Amino acid sequence: HLGSDPRPCQPNLFEHVRLRALYMAMVTEAFGYVVGQQVDIHSATQGGWVPGTVVSIVGTPGSVTVKYNDQLLQKTLPLESLSAIRPRAVQPSYAVGQRVEIFSETYGKWVHGTVVGTTKDPPNGVTVRYDAGGLQKTLPADRLSNLRPLPVSAAPQQVV
């Protein structure tokens, strides 16, 4: 008999945890972010994109809260404002002496070069020397998409 059991309904902890995990998976899939994810946050105050971390996701009414990495401030963005954050692109690290390709805006193609230094100002910048002409250029972190490691097959072969 349904309803004839006088005991109160006992919450099932396993079912609660399972439903919570399902809910979070749906919210994560809908928003495209997870708690702890490194992101860039557009800041009008700082005039550009600054690093941050997702600290919470709320499915109803729909928001993502991010914390600025270099400050104690955080910002909660409603669903319609999520264009103000983006996943942080993982940039490869570069070492002095490493062979690379640099996209030359002058020639409109990738050209070979060598990393001759990394910089603190601009932060995470990379200085490269072009093979042709020996010119040097420092690429700030936000322009590192114009730099990539030279494929091993394209590296010069050492003659013995």
Side-chain angles (χ1 to χ4, degrees):
H1 253 348
L2 186 61
S4 64
D5 189 349
R7 293 177 294 171
C9 178
Q10 296 294 319
N12 180 332
L13 182 59
F14 175 76
E15 183 66 8
H16 174 75
V17 169
R18 187 185 74 76
L19 289 173
R20 176 79 176 145
L22 180 62
Y23 168 77
M24 289 309 294
M26 288 175 14
V27 167
T28 297
E29 184 176 327
F31 288 98
Y33 296 99
V34 294
V35 172
Q37 181 177 357
Q38 295 299 302
V39 294
D40 289 321
I41 309 160
H42 190 268
S43 169
T45 305
Q46 295 185 29
W49 295 91
V50 296
T53 305
V54 174
V55 294
S56 75
I57 300 171
V58 177
T60 305
S63 64
V64 175
T65 301
V66 290
K67 180 192 171 299
Y68 293 92
N69 287 352
D70 59 350
Q71 304 172 36
L72 294 176
L73 300 174
Q74 59 183 41
K75 177 190 279 190
T76 298
L77 299 158
L79 187 58
E80 63 272 7
S81 297
L82 289 185
S83 62
I85 60 173
R86 63 185 183 196
R88 163 112 14 95
V90 176
Q91 298 286 353
S93 58
Y94 294 97
V96 172
Q98 182 177 358
R99 300 285 297 145
V100 293
E101 291 183 311
I102 310 105
F103 186 79
S104 169
E105 294 170 359
T106 303
Y107 296 108
K109 65 179 184 174
W110 291 92
V111 297
H112 293 184
T114 303
V115 174
V116 295
T118 56
T119 65
K120 292 186 190 272
D121 188 26
N124 303 315
V126 176
T127 302
V128 294
R129 179 179 299 120
Y130 293 91
D131 286 356
L135 297 175
Q136 285 192 183
K137 180 176 191 171
T138 298
L139 297 164
D142 64 346
R143 300 283 314 271
L144 289 183
S145 59
N146 287 344
L147 184 65
R148 64 186 183 195
L150 185 66
V152 176
S153 61
Q157 300 296 315
Q158 184 176 8
V159 180
V160 219

Coordinates of all heavy atoms in Angstrom, one line a residue, residues 1-3 5 12 17 19 23 45 70 72 76 84 87 90 93 95 98-99 117 121 133-134 154 156 158:
H1 N 0.8 -1.2 0.0 CA 0.0 0.0 0.0 C 0.9 1.2 0.0 O 1.6 1.5 0.9 CB -0.8 0.0 1.3 CG -2.3 -0.3 1.1 ND1 -2.9 -0.3 -0.1 CD2 -3.2 -0.5 2.0 CE1 -4.2 -0.6 0.1 NE2 -4.4 -0.7 1.4
L2 N 0.7 2.1 -1.0 CA 1.5 3.3 -1.0 C 0.9 4.3 0.0 O -0.3 4.4 0.0 CB 1.4 3.9 -2.4 CG 2.3 5.1 -2.7 CD1 3.7 4.8 -2.4 CD2 2.1 5.7 -4.1
G3 N 1.7 4.9 0.8 CA 1.2 5.8 1.7 C 0.8 5.2 3.1 O 0.4 5.9 4.0
D5 N 2.8 3.4 4.9 CA 4.0 3.3 5.8 C 4.1 4.6 6.6 O 4.2 5.7 6.1 CB 5.2 3.1 4.9 CG 6.5 2.8 5.7 OD1 6.4 2.9 7.0 OD2 7.5 2.4 5.1
N12 N 17.8 9.5 0.4 CA 18.8 8.5 -0.1 C 20.0 9.3 -0.4 O 20.0 10.0 -1.4 CB 18.2 7.7 -1.2 CG 19.2 6.7 -1.7 OD1 20.4 6.9 -1.6 ND2 18.7 5.7 -2.3
V17 N 23.6 12.4 -4.2 CA 25.0 12.7 -4.7 C 24.9 12.4 -6.2 O 25.5 13.2 -7.0 CB 26.0 11.8 -4.0 CG1 27.3 11.8 -4.8 CG2 26.2 12.2 -2.6
L19 N 22.3 12.6 -8.3 CA 21.5 13.7 -9.0 C 22.3 15.0 -9.0 O 22.3 15.8 -10.0 CB 20.2 13.9 -8.3 CG 19.2 12.8 -8.5 CD1 17.9 13.0 -7.6 CD2 18.8 12.7 -10.0
Y23 N 23.4 16.9 -12.3 CA 23.0 18.4 -12.5 C 24.3 19.2 -12.8 O 24.3 20.0 -13.8 CB 22.4 18.9 -11.2 CG 22.3 20.4 -11.1 CD1 21.3 21.0 -11.8 CD2 23.2 21.1 -10.3 CE1 21.2 22.4 -11.7 CE2 23.1 22.5 -10.3 CZ 22.1 23.2 -11.0 OH 22.0 24.5 -10.9
T45 N 37.7 48.1 -16.7 CA 38.6 48.9 -15.8 C 40.0 48.8 -16.2 O 40.7 49.8 -16.3 CB 38.4 48.4 -14.4 OG1 37.0 48.5 -14.0 CG2 39.2 49.3 -13.4
D70 N 45.0 38.0 -9.9 CA 45.9 39.0 -9.2 C 45.2 39.9 -8.2 O 45.8 40.8 -7.7 CB 46.7 39.8 -10.3 CG 45.7 40.6 -11.2 OD1 44.5 40.4 -11.1 OD2 46.2 41.5 -11.9
L72 N 41.7 40.3 -5.1 CA 40.7 39.5 -4.3 C 39.3 39.7 -4.9 O 38.3 39.1 -4.4 CB 40.7 40.1 -2.9 CG 42.0 39.8 -2.1 CD1 41.9 40.5 -0.7 CD2 42.2 38.4 -1.9
T76 N 30.4 37.9 -10.9 CA 29.4 36.9 -11.3 C 28.7 37.4 -12.6 O 28.2 38.5 -12.7 CB 28.3 36.8 -10.2 OG1 28.9 36.3 -9.0 CG2 27.2 35.8 -10.6
A84 N 32.1 37.7 -21.8 CA 33.1 38.5 -21.1 C 34.1 37.6 -20.5 O 35.1 38.0 -19.8 CB 32.5 39.4 -20.0
P87 N 37.9 30.6 -22.2 CA 38.9 29.7 -21.7 C 40.3 30.2 -22.0 O 40.6 30.8 -23.0 CB 38.7 28.4 -22.5 CG 37.3 28.6 -23.0 CD 37.1 30.0 -23.2
V90 N 46.2 27.5 -23.6 CA 47.5 27.0 -23.0 C 48.6 27.3 -24.0 O 48.6 26.9 -25.2 CB 47.4 25.5 -22.8 CG1 48.8 25.0 -22.3 CG2 46.3 25.2 -21.8
S93 N 55.6 26.7 -23.7 CA 56.7 27.4 -23.2 C 57.9 27.3 -24.1 O 58.0 26.4 -24.9 CB 57.1 27.0 -21.8 OG 57.5 25.6 -21.8
A95 N 62.2 28.0 -24.8 CA 63.5 28.1 -24.2 C 64.5 28.8 -25.2 O 64.4 28.6 -26.4 CB 64.0 26.7 -23.8
Q98 N 65.8 27.5 -28.7 CA 64.8 26.6 -29.4 C 64.5 27.1 -30.8 O 64.3 28.3 -31.0 CB 63.5 26.6 -28.5 CG 62.4 25.7 -29.1 CD 61.2 25.7 -28.2 OE1 61.1 26.3 -27.1 NE2 60.2 25.0 -28.7
R99 N 64.4 26.2 -31.7 CA 64.0 26.5 -33.1 C 62.5 26.7 -33.2 O 61.8 25.9 -32.6 CB 64.5 25.4 -34.1 CG 66.0 25.2 -34.0 CD 66.8 26.2 -34.7 NE 66.4 26.2 -36.1 CZ 66.3 27.3 -36.9 NH1 66.6 28.4 -36.5 NH2 66.0 27.2 -38.2
G117 N 65.5 34.8 -26.2 CA 65.2 35.3 -24.9 C 63.8 35.3 -24.6 O 62.9 35.2 -25.4
D121 N 58.9 41.8 -19.2 CA 58.2 43.0 -19.6 C 58.3 43.1 -21.1 O 59.4 43.5 -21.6 CB 58.7 44.2 -18.9 CG 57.8 45.4 -19.2 OD1 56.6 45.3 -19.4 OD2 58.4 46.6 -19.1
G133 N 68.1 37.3 -42.5 CA 68.3 38.7 -42.2 C 68.8 39.0 -40.8 O 69.2 40.1 -40.5
G134 N 68.6 38.0 -39.9 CA 69.1 38.2 -38.5 C 68.3 39.2 -37.7 O 68.8 39.6 -36.6
A154 N 61.3 19.6 -39.9 CA 61.7 20.9 -40.6 C 63.1 21.4 -40.0 O 63.6 22.3 -40.5 CB 60.7 22.0 -40.5
P156 N 66.9 21.8 -39.2 CA 68.1 21.5 -40.0 C 68.8 20.2 -39.5 O 68.9 20.0 -38.3 CB 69.0 22.7 -39.8 CG 68.4 23.5 -38.8 CD 67.1 23.0 -38.5
Q158 N 72.0 17.8 -38.8 CA 73.4 18.0 -38.5 C 74.2 17.0 -39.4 O 73.9 15.8 -39.4 CB 73.7 17.8 -37.1 CG 75.1 18.0 -36.7 CD 75.3 17.9 -35.2 OE1 74.5 17.4 -34.5 NE2 76.5 18.2 -34.7

